[in-house]
Amino acid sequence: MRKYLFLVSMALGIYLFSFGGFAGAVSGDCSKCHGDLVTSFELDAPNPELTCAVCHNHYAMNAKHPYPNWTAQYVTGIGYFKSADSVLTGPPAIHNYHNGSNTPAGTNSCGKCHRAVKCESCHQNVKHKQHGSSEITSFPAYVVADGKAYASQQLSCAASNCHRFYSPGIVRTNSNGTQLCVNCHSTDKSGHNETNLGPLHDSFSSTLNIGVTNYQVSCEGCHAATLSAEHKKAAGRLGQPEDNECGYCHGASAQSTVAAEVSDIKTANAQIKDPKLKAENRGCVKCHFNIAVLPARPSEHLTYHIAVNSNNLSVVGGPHKDCNTCHANVKLFSTISNLARTPIDQRKYDCFVCHNQQFNLAPVHKAGLDGQLSDVNEVHYGCNTCHTPGTKPSEKVAQIIDELKNGAEGYECVDCHTGDVLDAGHAGKIDANCTKTCHKSSLTEEHLNNPVTQANNQDNPLTCNTCHANPDVKFVIAIGDTDCAACHYHAHNLNIVQQVPANIPLYPGFEWSTPQNAEIWLGEPWFDVTYQANSKRIVSNRRSDVNSEQIKDFYLTNMTTLGWMSLSEETINRTIILKFNSGKRYASVMIYDSEVPEGQTTVPAGIKIDIFYK
């Protein structure tokens, strides 16, 4: 009995010793032993030629297989996909696409490919570890696509708490809170959170490549400070599954070139102590603008620096000396971020989205002229007149801006408009016969220094402001129309006929009226009130040998060629209406075969064209 008790005591002591040692070594935070990164995923990378091809290269894909509203592309040796980049899709999206949540999965024949796909269909030779204490044994079997052949198969794993058809993703904890990750991996997700992983994913870019130049730039206004947070934001913004497995960048599931770059960065950073240098070594440019790493992505930052509604003016250069002129301005962060997230075809902004009183960036567009302040916006029909980078006007503007910052009280029109520039801007369009005895071709000479025509103005001489402060004349100045008839409708007891501007194309073969004041038709039901002041209308005769589509295509093409931007196209009854814009100028083309614009009854004589412009 004494021997038995001794043996029992000894066995109990051994058990307690063993249990005590085990309890002392195990922690709920596996990172205390294993570090913060899971490095022992035991899944081989999928081989698309062996896996994807089973379904995607099936003979039915090239025969009568229906597709959504896109045309499948064939990837050599692998099969048909939405695009060639589909075979590079990361694990979260792949799992989501193959979870069986689709209509064809409900039929027996289609389900052989479209049902939830078993793991082994992509991951050959899955090295499952022996299940631990968190194993779930009471789950049903489920019919899945075999993936290795055109067939179905019953599985239980796919319905378990671990895999659950991969939607919304692999579940990490059982209902009782125990970790499930250790069923397959050597460590769990404890410690794998933004707080612990953040320092390992800090990213900082001090320069940005635009074309062939690296510019100094601050990215913090739009982008998160850590790669993990930024990638999570990007996935949500793009409607992609969250990368819970970190597989976009890490492990065998990552694109090989990305995984290699990440490995190189980790190796380099292991030799660096300065956290800032480590963060810069993880800069976005290492992958996103490196064509060797992401060949399908642009090799430079996508720049959206075109102010479409300001004459397609590039905002790179000019008064914006570098990227940080805007990107380091805290007041502009939300504006820049909103513009960057607006679809390209809708991102039609102008300079004043930033240059306004709200941001204290209101431009100084008041210039001295004859002792008065003149609004330069009213006599220049677009921002690009002065601000196009690389031009002499933009260089002069930059000089004026620097002088204003250094205390200058203002500037004068003649700071820019002098010499040849002044002469070119005041070169009048006048018949040569008129200049032989009376008139001068220079508008400044004609209005200020011509003793013949200004003889009656001795007591009240004309000045620059006679024209430049006159609201009716400002519009003519803004569009650069120096034709005498643009301002003077009568002379020598005759009506003066104004010429159609050179950038208003006239469809060949029609006869056209002379420009008439558009406000004559104010009050007509079809009249566009945009043209109720300082506007002209020209009208064609009718032709039956052309159709409205030919005329529409002519104006869409030629107006764009001549510097106009198409604003809209609509059809009202039997009238096609095209609207265009160029800076402060507007034009509308009405093409109709009715008696009046927007009428409903066809006229046998054919089609007529009306053009309004201002």
Side-chain angles (χ1 to χ4, degrees), residues 184-465:
C184 294
H185 307 297
S186 62
T187 183
D188 60 23
K189 287 287 286 186
S190 298
H192 294 78
N193 53 54
E194 185 64 24
T195 300
N196 290 338
L197 294 181
L200 296 173
H201 291 85
D202 281 343
S203 177
F204 175 73
S205 296
S206 60
T207 62
L208 186 63
N209 180 261
I210 302 177
V212 296
T213 305
N214 277 333
Y215 288 88
Q216 296 293 317
V217 65
S218 171
C219 303
E220 290 82 357
C222 294
H223 298 285
T226 64
L227 296 177
S228 46
E230 176 61 26
H231 289 162
K232 181 177 181 179
K233 283 172 52 181
R237 188 170 65 249
L238 298 173
Q240 295 179 351
E242 184 179 341
D243 186 10
N244 289 321
E245 296 306 308
C246 309
Y248 286 144
C249 303
H250 297 281
S253 58
Q255 186 174 321
S256 60
T257 52
V258 174
E261 184 68 25
V262 170
S263 178
D264 290 345
I265 292 171
K266 289 167 62 179
T267 301
N269 278 355
Q271 309 300 320
I272 300 173
K273 294 183 178 181
D274 186 342
K276 186 174 182 180
L277 292 179
K278 288 186 176 184
E280 188 147 6
N281 205 29
R282 300 186 198 102
C284 305
V285 296
K286 290 299 183 77
C287 290
H288 285 278
F289 314 123
N290 185 344
I291 200 167
V293 176
L294 290 173
R297 302 294 182 87
S299 57
E300 63 180 63
H301 192 281
L302 291 176
T303 53
Y304 305 116
H305 295 134
I306 303 297
V308 174
N309 289 343
S310 291
N311 308 100
N312 289 313
L313 179 67
S314 170
V315 299
V316 178
H320 310 105
K321 294 184 177 180
D322 57 44
C323 301
N324 283 335
T325 301
C326 301
H327 288 275
N329 188 330
V330 177
K331 296 178 180 179
L332 299 181
F333 282 175
S334 62
T335 299
I336 294 171
S337 179
N338 289 336
L339 287 173
R341 284 159 175 71
T342 303
I344 296 176
D345 59 345
Q346 301 174 27
R347 195 182 294 125
K348 296 179 179 179
Y349 63 93
D350 59 28
C351 299
F352 298 105
V353 71
C354 293
H355 290 275
N356 54 54
Q357 295 289 349
Q358 176 186 353
F359 300 123
N360 294 322
L361 292 174
V364 184
H365 283 147
K366 299 287 186 181
L369 179 66
D370 275 353
Q372 300 181 27
L373 287 179
S374 176
D375 189 335
V376 298
N377 282 330
E378 294 180 345
V379 290
H380 298 86
Y381 66 84
C383 303
N384 61 338
T385 304
C386 302
H387 294 286
T388 299
T391 62
K392 289 184 177 180
S394 72
E395 294 172 0
K396 187 63 181 179
V397 167
Q399 178 185 333
I400 291 173
I401 291 174
D402 286 340
E403 291 173 354
L404 292 173
K405 288 180 178 179
N406 291 327
E409 294 183 359
Y411 62 100
E412 300 284 325
C413 293
V414 293
D415 288 348
C416 295
H417 297 277
T418 185
D420 294 341
V421 175
L422 182 67
D423 293 340
H426 291 84
K429 296 177 182 177
I430 185 171
D431 190 289
N433 292 320
C434 298
T435 61
K436 289 181 178 180
T437 55
C438 299
H439 298 283
K440 296 180 181 294
S441 59
S442 167
L443 297 181
T444 49
E445 290 296 312
E446 173 67 18
H447 293 125
L448 303 180
N449 300 313
N450 190 344
V452 177
T453 58
Q454 302 305 317
N456 296 327
N457 295 327
Q458 297 299 320
D459 295 332
N460 187 25
L462 303 182
T463 67
C464 296
N465 276 323

